Amino acid sequence: MKTISLKVNPRRPSKRKIQTAAEIIRRGGLVAFPTETVYGLGANALDAGAVRKIFSAKGRPLDNPVIVHIAKKEELEKLARRIPKKAKILAERFWPGPLTLVLKKSRAVPKAATAGLDTVAIRMPRNRIALELISASGVPIAAPSANISGRPSPTSAKHVMQDLNGKIDAVIDGGAVDIGLESTVLDMTVRMPTILRPGGVALEELQNVIGRVVLYRKKGKEKPRSPGMKYRHYAPRAELILVGDSAKIPEIAGTLRGKKIGILATKETAMRYTGAVEVVGSRKNLREVARNLFSALRKLDESGVDVIISESFEEKGIGLAIMNRLRKAASRVV
Ligand code: TXA
Ligand code: MG
């Protein structure tokens, strides 16, 4: 299959190109598109056959459900039932934006999208291209991140092509994304709203609006509530070592003789290291770190390193999501 690239201006997306992409979605094809978080790999969420194609293109485990994207808040009522008051308040406050709500699914949503669960994850993205694509398609769009399963999520159309060229019908190239990490996934089907995946909306922001919100922690042998949690994720090809105290990094690097080492560093610390150093931003601006994190991992991979040593970040605000991704990508935490 030849993957076509549709380059559009993110502020004034060409109607014609959006129509071309929407036509592919309506016919049951796959289109990667930018959102404010990361690029998504979209298909008609109401067409089980189209949704199944997403899983085979990504090599995604069949038990990992996808997020359904909508362009208008009212579409929520068609896809979910028994929507709690607090979920409506959150949608009002954070949509369009990087918050995904897990709710009881309606019959309109095929089981292929929810991996057989009776709940569905829904979000309204804040990116203009994404919203226009959903509206032009006339259907909700199921979309996981547009990467090969397990790899760092794509924050540009180039990353999408690295992973999926030849496996999908089209990619809309709308430039770099804004946030750089995925949405916050919040389970609203339980008594205590529970974050299944920290992301673009911070825990503190949710608490300010609806009071108590907890972070999910798997208990003992319990089956993880978000099936995606059991897999290694966001991982570069190189082995990733996550280091708590960055002062120890030169010493750790010294023990890895014979290996090509890359370091994921910050503006404040980069001068301590030698070799392949990728600066993700300033420690004083974690939004910048989030935006550059996945592309930095991909760049280090491209430079051919065997091991990536990464600094750690304070788990406040978006820092919680940054550390979540780094921990899941890491094969060792020191
Ligand atoms: O920012 C984002 O969320 C991006 C953009 C494209 O919207 N999408 C994204 O999708 O990150 P994906 O598939 O890579 O991650 C979705 C996460 C997975 O961890 C999945 O297990 C969880 O959401 N999820 C989806 N449906 C669920 C459900 N019904 N119950 C629990 N978890 C669910
Ligand atoms: Mg993903």
Side-chain angles (χ1 to χ4, degrees), residues 33 35 37-41 58 60 63-67 69 98 100 102-103 113-114 117 119-121 123 125 143-147 153 181-185 187 196-197 225-229 233-234:
F33 61 96
T35 79
T37 57
V38 299
Y39 273 69
L41 177 57
K58 281 184 57 110
R60 185 180 178 96
D63 64 352
N64 192 7
V66 296
I67 297 173
H69 297 70
T100 295
V102 174
L103 298 162
T114 66
L117 299 176
T119 57
V120 59
R123 94 172 182 101
S145 49
N147 50 279
S153 298
L181 295 179
E182 302 87 341
S183 62
T184 301
V185 178
D187 188 352
L196 301 177
R197 178 183 70 185
R225 214 187 291 160
S226 183
M229 291 192 290
H233 254 117
Y234 320 112

Side-chain angles (χ1 to χ4, degrees), residues 306-323:
D306 306 307
V307 182
I308 297 172
I309 306 179
S310 174
E311 295 184 358
S312 292
F313 299 88
E314 198 188 357
E315 290 181 75
K316 260 200 202 148
I318 189 89
L320 186 65
I322 294 171
M323 286 301 287

Side-chain angles (χ1 to χ4, degrees), residues 5 7 47 52 80 99 108 122 130 170 186 226 244 249 281 316:
S5 173
K7 198 167 172 64
D47 175 347
R52 277 193 288 268
L99 176 66
I122 304 175
L186 184 67
S226 183
I249 290 181
K316 260 200 202 148

Side-chain angles (χ1 to χ4, degrees), residues 93-257:
R93 170 69 183 74
F94 293 103
W95 283 359
L99 176 66
T100 295
L101 299 173
V102 174
L103 298 162
K104 286 275 172 214
K105 84 175 203 57
S106 78
R107 282 216 292 255
V109 183
K111 291 255 170 169
T114 66
L117 299 176
D118 64 354
T119 57
V120 59
I122 304 175
R123 94 172 182 101
M124 177 179 173
R126 196 169 60 205
N127 176 289
R128 179 148 178 202
I129 297 168
L131 292 170
E132 291 192 7
L133 174 67
I134 301 164
S135 297
S137 303
V139 291
I141 294 186
S145 49
N147 50 279
I148 292 288
S149 197
R151 299 260 303 137
S153 298
T155 54
S156 71
K158 187 183 109 187
H159 298 157
V160 174
M161 286 301 246
Q162 283 173 350
D163 281 18
L164 298 172
N165 190 9
K167 296 184 170 157
I168 61 176
D169 297 283
V171 54
I172 306 181
D173 181 351
V177 299
D178 175 24
I179 296 173
L181 295 179
E182 302 87 341
S183 62
T184 301
V185 178
L186 184 67
D187 188 352
M188 295 302 294
T189 66
V190 283
R191 179 128 42 101
M192 189 63 69
T194 303
I195 293 184
L196 301 177
R197 178 183 70 185
V201 173
L203 168 66
E204 299 88 332
E205 293 176 82
L206 296 172
Q207 287 169 332
N208 284 341
V209 177
I210 56 164
R212 263 191 85 182
V213 172
V214 295
L215 257 182
Y216 179 72
R217 288 218 165 68
K218 190 168 101 66
K219 297 186 203 84
K221 286 193 185 131
E222 181 196 23
K223 209 165 108 190
R225 214 187 291 160
S226 183
M229 291 192 290
K230 56 180 193 273
Y231 302 105
R232 184 165 179 235
H233 254 117
Y234 320 112
R237 291 199 182 83
E239 179 192 352
L240 180 76
I241 304 175
L242 178 61
V243 179
D245 175 5
S246 57
K248 296 212 174 98
I249 290 181
E251 183 193 320
I252 293 167
T255 65
L256 299 165
R257 244 177 249 117

Side-chain angles (χ1 to χ4, degrees), residues 26-80:
R26 277 196 299 268
R27 284 200 324 256
L30 300 183
V31 177
F33 61 96
T35 79
E36 77 280 30
T37 57
V38 299
Y39 273 69
L41 177 57
N44 177 356
L46 306 181
D47 175 347
V51 172
R52 277 193 288 268
K53 286 188 196 165
I54 296 177
F55 288 82
S56 48
K58 281 184 57 110
R60 185 180 178 96
L62 289 168
D63 64 352
N64 192 7
V66 296
I67 297 173
V68 177
H69 297 70
I70 58 176
K72 290 194 195 72
K73 288 176 195 165
E74 302 83 78
E75 290 169 54
L76 177 61
E77 324 277 336
K78 293 182 210 150
L79 303 172

